[in-house]
Amino acid sequence: MIAVAYSKRVSNLVVKEIVPLKEQNNRIRDFAKMKGFRISRFYEDKSNNPESDTGFQQMRIDGMNRRFDLVILDSIYRCGRSFSYAKNLLYMTFYKMGIHFVILE
């Protein structure tokens, strides 16, 4: 199983929670290690702007091209431009393609 991770500096919640990418990535690494997964790539959005999603979009493109089987996320509220956008993409696209998700939240 090919696993990837996604982290984003700010969340899409009304309160713009900032959690350092390093902290999110460490939680993801710890989980992956505990479960025996090796992370092949980290997708990141480093901007303070919650609308920024270049890392998420690259993950979307790679997922559509079946470059991985599992995505590990720190929080669903850090995905994409908004929660509803992320939920729709994760469920309607990736899930139907057989890509699995782990959300550590």
Side-chain angles (χ1 to χ4, degrees):
M1 181 170 285
I2 300 170
V4 297
Y6 174 74
S7 55
K8 183 175 185 172
R9 192 157 191 268
V10 294
S11 80
N12 292 313
L13 295 172
V14 175
V15 177
K16 294 182 180 173
E17 177 189 11
I18 295 176
V19 177
L21 293 175
K22 183 177 181 180
E23 183 179 324
Q24 294 176 55
N25 292 342
N26 285 341
R27 282 196 292 246
I28 291 168
R29 272 189 202 93
D30 290 346
F31 175 83
K33 184 177 180 180
M34 180 179 69
K35 295 295 184 180
F37 299 126
R38 187 183 69 75
I39 308 263
S40 66
R41 179 168 180 186
F42 278 85
Y43 296 92
E44 299 178 327
D45 281 311
K46 299 176 183 182
S47 173
N48 285 333
N49 180 355
E51 295 293 315
S52 176
D53 68 347
T54 54
F56 189 80
Q57 292 302 324
Q58 184 60 53
M59 181 178 72
R60 180 185 66 82
I61 291 165
D62 289 349
M64 301 284 284
N65 290 314
R66 301 288 307 177
R67 293 196 174 124
F68 52 80
D69 305 300
L70 171 70
V71 179
I72 304 172
L73 310 163
D74 179 58
S75 170
I76 189 73
Y77 295 102
R78 295 188 191 286
C79 289
R81 295 180 180 152
S82 69
F83 174 76
S84 60
Y85 174 81
K87 181 181 171 187
N88 188 48
L89 177 70
L90 297 178
Y91 179 73
M92 299 302 291
T93 306
F94 288 173
Y95 182 75
K96 289 185 176 185
M97 292 176 65
I99 295 174
H100 302 277
F101 289 87
V102 172
I103 301 170
L104 302 180
E105 180 169 53

